[in-house]
């Protein structure tokens, strides 16, 4: 059974600081890794994906992947109150459409 | 494009009643997923279809749940009979095959009394 673990939080970060969200996964065969953001009462939306070890940057967001440690993280620089949401980590095997989600980390940015 | 459309948005029913949730996927998306979200268990995949064919229904909790996709523009998830533990938000999501980018509908919040 594929498992994806996240700290449920809540994680509180001052506005303008860096928010760091972490995720571990159990299946070494996992190939693709995704971060979804879910605002309260809304549906999840994709913000980043990463396939290769290392860092991937997109604006204020950086995804980091370490397959040897089975660890993926999301950094949010210059955190804004609008970043307050639950962040869901998801993984799948290459070519497999099934996404397994973690339970999410609730992030609160404090003005 | 209108996005993934789900109905009803909210459903309150009594234990034992039949519930039918509906989903219209984004045009051209050939994979469709039904997820259930609860506070305790997070997002759980119930079933997914590719080109209208059910590929994996291993997440369907029991025989009370069934799903169909009679054509490329419509899918249903049925619960019969419903139980209080079925109370959750049910999401339909669609994607182009094997991209991993899911587009979610707004969800159907089900409350079974």
């Amino acid at each position: 059974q594929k498992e994806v673990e996240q700290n449920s939080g809540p994680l509180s970060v001052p506005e303008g600081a860096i928010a760091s969200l972490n995720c571990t996964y159990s299946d070494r065969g996992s190939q693709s890794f995704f971060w979804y953001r879910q605002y309260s009462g809304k549906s999840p939306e994709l913000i980043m994906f990463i396939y290769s070890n290392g860092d991937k940057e997109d604006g204020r967001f950086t995804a980091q992947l370490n397959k040897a440690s089975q660890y993926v993280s999301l950094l949010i620089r210059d955190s804004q109150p609008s970043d307050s949401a639950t962040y869901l980590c998801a993984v799948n095997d290459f070519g497999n459409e099934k996404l397994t989600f973690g339970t999410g980390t609730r992030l609160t940015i404090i003005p | 494009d209108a996005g993934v459309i789900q109905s009803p948005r909210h459903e309150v029913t009594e234990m034992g009643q039949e519930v039918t949730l509906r989903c219209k996927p984004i045009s051209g998306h050939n994979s469709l997923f039904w997820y259930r979200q609860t506070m305790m268990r997070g997002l759980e995949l119930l079933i997914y279809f590719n080109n209208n064919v059910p590929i994996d229904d291993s997440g369907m909790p029991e025989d009370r749940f069934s799903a169909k996709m009679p054509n490329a523009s419509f899918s249903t998830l049925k619960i019969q009979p419903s139980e209080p533990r079925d109370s959750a938000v049910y999401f339909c999501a669609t994607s182009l095959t094997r991209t991993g980018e899911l587009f979610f509908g707004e969800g159907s919040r089900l409350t079974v009394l």
Side-chain angles (χ1 to χ4, degrees):
Chain A
Q1 178 77 8
K2 195 190 299 281
E3 292 186 353
V4 179
E5 301 287 338
Q6 294 181 257
N7 187 326
S8 63
L11 175 65
S12 296
V13 174
E15 182 175 357
I18 296 174
S20 178
L21 303 163
N22 305 314
C23 172
T24 59
Y25 57 95
S26 62
D27 186 352
R28 285 196 172 274
S30 298
Q31 296 281 346
S32 308
F33 307 87
F34 304 84
W35 284 101
Y36 282 76
R37 177 177 62 201
Q38 186 175 23
Y39 291 113
S40 180
K42 302 296 185 181
S43 56
E45 57 179 341
L46 180 68
I47 53 173
M48 288 211 61
F49 62 87
I50 186 167
Y51 300 142
S52 303
N53 274 331
D55 295 359
K56 179 181 179 182
E57 188 174 316
D58 184 0
R60 296 187 296 112
F61 298 93
T62 298
Q64 299 176 316
L65 175 61
N66 183 326
K67 289 187 178 181
S69 300
Q70 295 176 241
Y71 178 91
V72 58
S73 64
L74 179 69
L75 302 178
I76 307 174
R77 289 182 301 281
D78 187 23
S79 298
Q80 303 296 310
S82 59
D83 295 325
S84 297
T86 296
Y87 289 79
L88 302 167
C89 174
V91 305
N92 71 356
D93 301 332
F94 184 76
N96 185 338
E97 297 187 272
K98 289 178 61 172
L99 276 188
T100 301
F101 284 85
T103 53
T105 299
R106 186 157 57 94
L107 173 66
T108 300
I109 305 302
I110 304 169
Chain B
D1 204 339
V4 178
I5 300 173
Q6 291 187 246
S7 64
R9 292 291 313 280
H10 301 275
E11 176 90 6
V12 180
T13 190
E14 293 187 345
M15 183 174 63
Q17 295 300 304
E18 178 178 296
V19 174
T20 299
L21 308 178
R22 298 173 177 81
C23 176
K24 176 178 169 55
I26 293 172
S27 178
H29 282 195
N30 47 13
S31 295
L32 183 143
F33 305 79
W34 282 101
Y35 280 89
R36 174 172 70 177
Q37 187 173 39
T38 61
M39 288 292 292
M40 291 299 297
R41 299 174 67 89
L43 266 173
E44 301 174 281
L45 178 64
L46 301 177
I47 185 171
Y48 82 92
F49 298 82
N50 183 260
N51 292 324
N52 314 335
V53 176
I55 303 300
D56 188 334
D57 65 354
S58 59
M60 296 286 262
E62 49 199 91
D63 292 345
R64 297 184 298 107
F65 285 69
S66 62
K68 294 182 179 179
M69 191 165 185
N71 56 60
S73 58
F74 185 65
S75 178
T76 59
L77 178 68
K78 186 175 293 187
I79 308 172
Q80 166 63 19
S82 57
E83 297 182 2
R85 59 190 168 127
D86 301 329
S87 297
V89 179
Y90 290 81
F91 286 105
C92 176
T94 68
S95 75
L96 295 170
T97 301
R98 298 191 176 93
T99 62
E101 180 173 7
L102 302 183
F103 293 81
F104 285 81
E106 294 185 307
S108 294
R109 180 174 295 277
L110 172 65
T111 302
V112 183
L113 303 175

